[in-house]
Amino acid sequence: MTINNSDSMLSQNLHHLFLTFSQTASYKKGSYLFQEGTDATVLYFIKSGKVQLSKLTPDGRELTFQISSTSDLIGEVTLFCGTTKHMLQAKALEDSEVIIVEKHILEQKLAAEPELSIEYMKWMGRRIQRLQTKFRDLILHGKKGALYSTLIRMTNSFGIMRENGIALNIHLTNQELANLCGTSREVINRMLSDLRKREVLSIDKGQITIHDLNYLKVEMNCENCPTYLCKID
């Protein structure tokens, strides 16, 4: 059983709105939907696949902000103002298909339906809240808290209930996990090894299964935020 579907930030009305856009695009694993510095003129509604949003630091490191999947909306378009630039890059983690949501058409549809505009603003507000809670965890709880917070968020985004725990339906290398936590692969290796020894989690062929979610929450003084805020997508 997947445990994250009921907490999508997109309302059903917005979901249906984005499905009315007819232009689609497919991206192979490893290809980019957009890169830093390019004009932000469209949004992307994910029909299938997973997309990573990240930023390159001046020293060449990659910091991952979120991993989005089916029915997520991504992009850095600012509506009802001039064209902005992408501050992040979006890379397909697996073969993905998206619906292209053009800025000027979306503006027309939202302007014609004020109730949809309000729902869109609510979505934007929640999106900002989610990003703020992630930064809070990264800043206040150090490297260990960053990993524990990321694992907790991943159970809400990609968790599947099993008899022995919560399996994460996403395969990430330790380097990719380190990028999500803002630290190095070596640090993640050590912390994952410690969690395996404590039987908090196990890793089989790249898939992580969380056996003791409560341990992670207690160790980082989890504030039990609403699930829609405690996600990685």
Side-chain angles (χ1 to χ4, degrees), residues 30-202:
S31 62
Y32 288 89
L33 285 71
F34 56 82
Q35 292 182 288
E36 293 181 53
T38 57
D39 288 344
T41 59
V42 300
L43 292 162
Y44 302 83
F45 184 68
I46 302 175
K47 292 186 67 177
S48 63
K50 291 183 176 66
V51 177
Q52 169 188 284
L53 293 177
S54 62
K55 185 173 183 65
L56 293 177
T57 64
D59 61 359
R61 294 186 301 113
E62 186 175 27
L63 178 62
T64 300
F65 286 86
Q66 68 184 66
I67 297 175
S68 298
S69 57
T70 303
S71 295
D72 286 330
L73 182 69
I74 63 172
E76 298 175 87
V77 168
T78 303
L79 298 182
F80 304 107
C81 68
T83 300
T84 56
K85 300 286 186 181
H86 285 294
M87 299 178 65
L88 305 177
Q89 60 185 15
K91 181 173 67 176
L93 290 180
E94 56 189 42
D95 291 351
S96 303
E97 183 180 6
V98 301
I99 294 174
I100 305 297
V101 180
E102 295 175 288
K103 174 185 175 180
H104 70 281
I105 297 178
L106 179 59
E107 288 173 340
Q108 292 171 5
K109 293 190 175 188
L110 292 179
E113 299 188 53
E115 290 184 0
L116 277 180
S117 296
I118 293 173
E119 290 186 27
Y120 186 85
M121 287 188 289
K122 287 181 178 178
W123 171 76
M124 286 293 296
R126 287 186 169 187
R127 189 181 184 188
I128 292 170
Q129 278 185 293
R130 181 180 291 180
L131 190 59
Q132 288 174 332
T133 61
K134 180 178 179 179
F135 285 149
R136 174 202 64 196
D137 294 343
L138 291 176
I139 294 170
L140 294 182
H141 301 296
K143 295 175 181 178
K144 185 173 75 171
L147 174 61
Y148 292 7
S149 168
T150 297
L151 292 172
I152 292 169
R153 290 170 184 273
M154 289 174 69
T155 63
N156 291 326
S157 293
F158 306 111
I160 299 176
M161 293 298 301
R162 305 291 192 198
E163 290 185 4
N164 63 337
I166 304 172
L168 303 183
N169 186 30
I170 183 172
H171 288 74
L172 296 176
T173 65
N174 285 6
Q175 182 60 62
E176 289 170 332
L177 193 54
N179 293 344
L180 277 165
C181 299
T183 187
S184 68
R185 179 173 55 84
E186 292 74 18
V187 169
I188 293 298
N189 289 346
R190 290 196 296 270
M191 290 192 290
L192 287 177
S193 177
D194 179 66
L195 290 174
R196 292 173 76 171
K197 290 177 181 178
R198 296 175 184 273
E199 299 184 346
V200 175
L201 58 75
S202 60

